Amino acid sequence: MSKEAKEIAEKLKNSHKIAITSHIRPDGDSIGSGLALYLMLKKMGKEVRYINKDIPQPPLTLFPHFEVIEYGDIYPQEFDVVVLIECSTEERSGQKNLNKYFRILIDHHLSNEEQVELNWVNPKESAVAIMIYELSKYLNVEIDKEIATLLYSGIVSDTGGFRFTNVNAKAFRVSSELIEKGANPIEVNRLLFENYTPQKVKLISKVLSTLETFFDDKAAFITMYKSFLDDLKLTDVETEDIVTIVRSIRKVKIVAFLKENDDGTFRVSLRSRDNVDSSKIAEKFGGGGHMHASGFYSQKKASEIKEILLKEFKEINL
Ligand SMILES: [Mn+2]
């Protein structure tokens, strides 16, 4: 049981106008958790709004009550408290001037250094959804089928369906309780993982066709050129599933996924396994992230980026 959760619950109980926000380029855990907290606070009779900067990609748009999310700036509107979900820093929310408010920060990422009024960070948790579930007990809110579904979706998203290295016994324990409270694992799996359009499957095929492997298949590159999206009339799409396929190559230790932006620059995502720390490489190029998931931006051409990365991979002796 957590002292911070108790303090946060007390503060929320004593507040009336509450804003929730979560990070830019939203994922299933942040949106599921944000919506779940929104519904909990509504049940408590609070005046609550969930305000983000970025619109999520499908299938997150199919989450229950997705339509309540607003897009824009929290400041200078009036709130008693602002809850930041999964934002290791205020900047991660894309919002400005949040220091004008009483801030509550709830996160499960290590890099949390923000000085806020109430800070609750637990990097041991598989998903921030698990923390929101814990918070619900201190808020004395009954978890209904929709809240259970949203929180369970957050856990399933962040653990890649209980497959990633962040999964632990507590994730299963909380999931089991959420299923008892009405979350349907078949429906959630279907929503999150079996919701492709034919265009998306074609995109996966195009991107995978760029696969190159080096160092006895321990390093892999894939590239998504802007033309792939244009040809299929797709705009920005979720691509984590594509890189997960490549990371599942038997011997692979590190994958670099080069995504071309509209202006011809690249966003490079690095995904690694085992003892390979991808964030150290990303940091060398002005980026950052976690050990197994990091990234950076580059103005260079794809071929040049690959060349530079190959040198880095060679140095770490995969
Ligand atoms: Mn998360």
Side-chain angles (χ1 to χ4, degrees):
M1 290 286 116
S2 146
K3 182 174 81 72
E4 290 100 327
K6 200 173 166 201
E7 281 172 9
I8 290 171
E10 283 315 308
K11 179 68 190 175
L12 290 173
K13 281 180 192 169
N14 294 323
S15 304
H16 183 60
K17 291 185 84 164
I18 302 169
I20 301 169
T21 190
S22 48
H23 57 80
I24 49 170
R25 297 197 297 110
D27 61 18
D29 186 30
S30 63
I31 296 293
S33 299
L35 286 171
L37 181 62
Y38 173 93
L39 294 176
M40 289 175 195
L41 294 169
K42 273 271 169 195
K43 278 192 165 194
M44 294 167 67
K46 304 296 179 188
E47 201 180 301
V48 50
R49 288 168 64 196
Y50 183 10
I51 306 173
N52 277 347
K53 285 304 260 191
D54 289 352
I55 302 174
Q57 299 301 325
L60 305 186
T61 48
L62 300 168
F63 276 6
H65 296 282
F66 172 78
E67 68 287 348
V68 304
I69 307 175
E70 300 170 58
Y71 303 94
D73 296 316
I74 288 175
Y75 182 81
Q77 304 183 74
E78 221 182 278
F79 291 105
D80 301 329
V81 59
V82 175
V83 187
L84 291 114
I85 294 178
E86 270 208 316
C87 301
S88 46
T89 57
E90 182 178 313
E91 198 189 341
R92 188 91 173 95
S93 71
Q95 297 284 346
K96 296 228 156 63
N97 297 312
L98 293 189
N99 58 354
K100 310 266 194 255
Y101 301 96
F102 189 100
R103 293 163 297 174
I104 294 174
L105 197 151
I106 306 173
D107 194 8
H108 70 124
H109 291 92
L110 245 184
S111 52
N112 186 303
E113 289 157 7
E114 194 79 345
Q115 291 297 311
V116 296
E117 286 62 46
L118 272 177
N119 194 357
W120 180 27
V121 179
N122 189 348
K124 288 200 191 104
E125 304 296 10
S126 311
V128 78
I130 290 170
M131 301 171 77
I132 302 295
Y133 179 66
E134 202 170 325
L135 182 64
S136 77
K137 298 190 174 169
Y138 292 100
L139 292 171
N140 304 312
V141 188
E142 195 62 43
I143 301 282
D144 58 29
K145 183 181 160 68
E146 284 174 329
I147 296 174
T149 301
L150 288 161
L151 293 175
Y152 179 76
S153 301
I155 299 170
V156 174
S157 294
D158 258 22
T159 60
F162 305 101
R163 292 193 306 141
F164 297 160
T165 46
N166 62 354
V167 77
N168 55 29
K170 189 171 173 187
F172 280 100
R173 215 153 46 227
V174 170
S175 296
S176 142
E177 289 180 31
L178 292 169
I179 291 166
E180 274 164 358
K181 290 175 195 299
N184 182 326
I186 322 274
E187 281 172 17
V188 170
N189 273 341
R190 197 148 187 178
L191 188 145
L192 288 173
F193 304 123
E194 297 171 12
N195 224 327
Y196 288 142
T197 58
Q199 281 93 330
K200 175 65 191 283
V201 176
K202 284 182 184 169
L203 178 72
I204 295 173
S205 136
K206 277 176 188 267
V207 175
L208 291 182
S209 74
T210 68
L211 174 69
E212 293 170 280
T213 63
F214 297 90
F215 306 115
D216 191 26
D217 298 343
K218 288 188 195 130
F221 289 104
I222 46 170
T223 308
M224 183 168 81
Y225 293 100
K226 183 71 183 43
S227 62
F228 293 177
L229 294 171
D230 294 345
D231 291 349
L232 293 163
K233 296 190 171 51
L234 288 167
T235 44
D236 193 28
V237 285
E238 168 59 37
T239 51
E240 201 55 40
D241 45 2
I242 308 180
V243 76
T244 300
I245 297 173
V246 180
R247 190 162 61 171
S248 67
I249 293 173
R250 187 185 297 158
K251 290 185 192 166
V252 145
K253 295 242 174 149
I254 190 157
V255 181
F257 185 10
L258 285 66
K259 282 171 274 187
E260 190 181 19
N261 299 313
D262 287 339
D263 61 1
T265 60
F266 282 89
R267 213 174 93 76
V268 181
S269 300
L270 298 175
R271 296 292 179 270
S272 62
R273 282 207 290 208
D274 306 334
N275 55 351
V276 177
D277 190 348
S278 73
S279 68
K280 283 194 183 138
I281 298 171
E283 279 163 17
K284 283 194 180 175
F285 301 104
H290 311 289
M291 180 161 176
H292 290 148
S294 62
F296 62 93
Y297 286 93
S298 177
Q299 316 263 15
K300 294 186 164 46
K301 282 194 279 185
S303 56
E304 290 170 344
I305 298 170
K306 287 188 216 172
E307 215 172 290
I308 295 165
L309 283 173
L310 277 176
K311 278 189 200 137
E312 293 296 329
F313 295 164
K314 194 168 183 184
E315 249 174 58
I316 56 171
N317 252 324
L318 291 165

